[in-house]
């Protein structure tokens, strides 16, 4: 079988073998409902609580501040809708950014239809918000500031601690979508003044379909899912024991491996960036520094992202163009438009996201495949003429 390099770890990562192994007993002999009172259920209950401790440790939180959810999207929805519903303010206003994941953007747009006002902060050309603009957007009726920790398309990392300090100073709740950050870069909810944080297991070695929310002690938000008294009455639904156990083990491994993986992946990423930028009319999207360790993102002029992905796959590389969750969507990515790229350039985006599965050889393979694919596509492109794009970015 020809080599296939998986460079789409920001879309999802493989389940770590140790995670799978730890989960298996809870599909089998340990199938009890953790809420049951008899001793047969103790092992399941203890396993869920041990996982809570491990997720808390990853974030610098206490176990009582961690609530399990079905995914990152649920945690984002819960944080935002829950904060708005719990607010006693007559008029309600949210501040968020133009580059959020759709789990946040679509939730805010939904709330706008219900009468909530939303400010979408712009970002600079590297994908970072301005703290002055954030301060200027605050109103007496602002109930929530929601700013993502790290962007899923261009890897930019926001000044979370400073944003949290501004929110705290004004008595406004601060939520961060940390789905791309958790398990990859250090997070300390106390030091960073975070009130609400969403994470997702499948981005760092747990299965798809498990997430968690950090709710700072004392913060009151309404539940999203009503029902039984699970998760201390704040999120109903019989606990998904195997997946929760898996999330705990993934959090534990992430914590242990983080310093080494950050260094290793940053080196691979930088080599990938250096190699890809040798292609003419190709540039990096997102910041040069202070970006997610495994994430390299580009715009390649004169070609279409869709065609690039298909041809890269034929050359043995799994990559993505824009957000994983919106691939199949033909509109250019809202993130690339927000950093100021024109439509025709944004269409040629490429995201290569490296993770624990990737090696030096993988980077070599990508750097060999990419120029061949790009030159083939450019030779067929109607917007490529005499070795350059018909509309260059700087024209
Ligand atoms: N937020 C960000 C930044 C993401 O990248 C994703 C998934 O790609 C989500 C939220 C949604 O997470 P989940 O797939 O667990 O619902």
């Amino acid at each position: 079988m020809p080599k296939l390099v998986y460079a789409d770890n920001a879309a999802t990562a493989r389940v770590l073998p140790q995670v799978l192994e730890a989960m298996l007993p809870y599909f089998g002999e340990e199938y009890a409902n953790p809420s049951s009172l008899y001793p047969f259920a103790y092992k399941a209950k203890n396993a869920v609580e041990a996982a809570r401790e491990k997720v808390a440790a990853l974030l610098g939180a206490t176990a009582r501040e961690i609530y399990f959810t079905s995914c990152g999207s649920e945690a984002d929805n819960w944080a935002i809708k829950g904060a708005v519903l719990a607010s006693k303010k007559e008029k309600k206003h949210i501040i968020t950014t133009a580059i959020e994941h759709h789990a946040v953007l679509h939730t805010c747009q939904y709330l706008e239809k219900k009468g909530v006002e939303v400010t979408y902060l712009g970002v600079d050309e590297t994908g970072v918000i301005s703290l002055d603009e954030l301060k200027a957007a605050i109103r007496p009726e602002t109930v929530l500031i929601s700013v993502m920790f790290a962007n899923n398309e261009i890897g930019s990392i926001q000044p979370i601690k400073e944003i949290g300090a501004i929110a705290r100073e004004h008595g406004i709740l601060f939520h961060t979508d940390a789905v791309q950050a958790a398990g990859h870069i250090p997070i300390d909810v106390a030091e960073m003044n975070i009130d609400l944080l969403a994470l997702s297991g499948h981005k760092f070695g747990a299965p798809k379909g498990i997430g968690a929310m950090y709710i700072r002690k004392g913060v009151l938000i309404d539940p999203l899912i009503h029902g039984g008294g699970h998760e201390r009455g704040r999120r109903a639904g019989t606990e998904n024991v195997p997946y929760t156990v898996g999330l705990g083990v993934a959090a534990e491994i992430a914590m242990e491996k983080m310093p080494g993986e950050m260094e290793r992946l940053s080196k691979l990423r930088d080599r990938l960036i250096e190699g890809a930028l040798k292609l003419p009319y190709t540039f990096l999207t997102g910041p040069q520094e202070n970006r997610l360790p495994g994430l390299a993102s580009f715009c390649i002029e004169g070609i279409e992202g869709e065609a690039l992905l298909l041809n890269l796959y034929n050359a043995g590389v799994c990559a993505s163009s824009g957000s994983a969750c919106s691939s199949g969507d033909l509109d250019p990515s809202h993130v690339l438009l927000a950093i100021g790229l024109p439509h025709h350039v944004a269409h040629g985006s490429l995201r290569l996201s490296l993770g624990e599965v990737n090696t030096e050889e993988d980077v070599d393979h990508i750097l060999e495949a990419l120029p061949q694919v790009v030159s083939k596509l450019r030779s067929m492109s109607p917007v490529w003429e005499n070795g350059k794009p018909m509309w260059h970015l700087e024209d």
Side-chain angles (χ1 to χ4, degrees):
M1 199 169 124
K3 188 173 170 67
L4 186 65
V5 171
Y6 184 75
D8 204 12
N9 291 270
T12 198
R14 86 170 168 147
V15 174
L16 294 169
Q18 307 94 303
V19 167
L20 182 60
E21 198 188 326
M23 289 169 61
L24 288 175
Y26 299 94
F27 288 111
E29 66 273 26
E30 300 297 342
Y31 57 82
N33 184 330
S35 301
S36 298
L37 295 177
Y38 36 75
F40 173 49
Y42 292 175
K43 193 151 177 208
K45 180 166 178 52
N46 290 343
V48 169
E49 294 317 313
R52 207 183 298 283
E53 299 269 355
K54 289 172 184 165
V55 173
L58 182 69
L59 305 176
T62 63
R64 289 180 66 80
E65 295 171 311
I66 302 299
Y67 299 83
F68 294 113
T69 64
S70 64
C71 58
S73 300
E74 183 194 324
D76 282 331
N77 270 261
W78 182 16
I80 300 167
K81 291 175 186 162
V84 165
L85 288 168
S87 166
K88 300 214 164 45
K89 292 187 181 176
E90 203 179 312
K91 276 177 76 182
K92 295 173 179 63
H93 172 239
I94 297 173
I95 302 172
T96 188
T97 82
I99 62 161
E100 297 296 311
H101 187 271
H102 286 136
V104 169
L105 279 184
H106 288 169
T107 304
C108 289
Q109 287 159 8
Y110 166 78
L111 289 171
E112 275 185 289
K113 290 194 200 122
K114 304 278 171 196
V116 176
E117 289 189 17
V118 182
T119 300
Y120 298 92
L121 297 174
V123 289
D124 65 15
E125 69 284 357
T126 69
V128 178
I129 65 159
S130 142
L131 295 175
D132 287 335
E133 279 175 32
L134 168 64
K135 284 185 210 156
I138 292 174
R139 307 181 195 164
E141 60 268 27
T142 307
V143 296
L144 181 74
I145 295 173
S146 177
V147 177
M148 72 197 316
F149 207 113
N151 185 267
N152 46 303
E153 293 186 38
I154 56 171
S156 53
I157 298 172
Q158 301 297 331
I160 291 297
K161 186 174 169 183
E162 290 77 8
I163 298 168
I166 293 168
R168 194 64 57 87
E169 194 188 315
H170 289 82
I172 299 167
L173 288 179
F174 173 40
H175 162 246
T176 185
D177 171 349
V179 168
Q180 292 292 340
H184 298 286
I185 55 176
I187 299 179
D188 185 324
V189 284
E191 194 202 307
M192 295 173 166
N193 310 297
I194 296 167
D195 296 309
L196 301 159
L197 176 145
L199 64 79
S200 176
H202 73 104
K203 308 292 184 178
F204 63 99
K208 294 163 239 335
I210 183 77
M213 171 106 111
Y214 158 79
I215 307 180
R216 187 168 64 83
K217 183 167 177 264
V219 167
L220 289 177
I221 61 167
D222 277 18
L224 187 66
I225 301 184
H226 295 90
H230 312 91
E231 299 294 286
R232 294 187 300 287
R234 299 183 86 170
R235 196 272 184 188
T238 302
E239 297 84 346
N240 186 342
V241 182
Y243 281 48
T244 304
V245 168
L247 181 63
V249 174
E252 192 175 37
I253 295 172
M255 244 180 110
E256 187 191 308
K257 298 216 161 144
M258 196 180 289
E261 276 297 86
M262 280 177 66
E263 203 188 320
R264 188 183 76 86
L265 289 176
S266 300
K267 276 196 193 137
L268 292 183
R269 174 204 65 195
D270 289 346
R271 205 155 74 71
L272 199 50
I273 292 175
E274 206 189 304
L277 292 186
K278 288 191 182 137
L279 286 166
Y281 297 99
T282 299
F283 54 91
L284 186 70
T285 52
Q288 304 260 355
E289 287 174 12
N290 204 28
R291 59 186 296 140
L292 284 171
L295 199 145
S297 52
F298 311 93
C299 274
I300 304 179
E301 291 187 70
I303 56 174
E304 279 287 333
E306 298 276 302
L308 179 60
L309 293 192
L310 291 175
N311 281 269
L312 271 178
Y313 187 76
N314 290 339
V317 180
C318 291
S320 118
S321 179
S323 165
C325 311
S326 65
S327 37
D329 186 347
L330 289 181
D331 277 344
S333 136
H334 64 285
V335 176
L336 299 175
L337 298 180
I339 60 172
L341 296 178
H343 277 235
H344 67 277
V345 174
H347 271 301
S349 78
L350 172 67
R351 178 185 73 181
L352 296 162
S353 48
L354 305 172
E356 55 87 31
V357 288
N358 297 116
T359 60
E360 286 274 345
E361 292 72 53
D362 289 355
V363 173
D364 293 340
H365 182 84
I366 298 170
L367 290 178
E368 205 184 304
L370 185 62
Q372 291 170 19
V373 167
V374 168
S375 76
K376 175 183 150 200
L377 290 173
R378 279 178 171 167
S379 72
M380 302 184 309
S381 166
V383 295
W384 187 260
E385 223 176 48
N386 303 326
K388 55 185 177 113
M390 280 162 83
W391 302 279
H392 177 42
L393 179 62
E394 275 150 26
D395 287 347

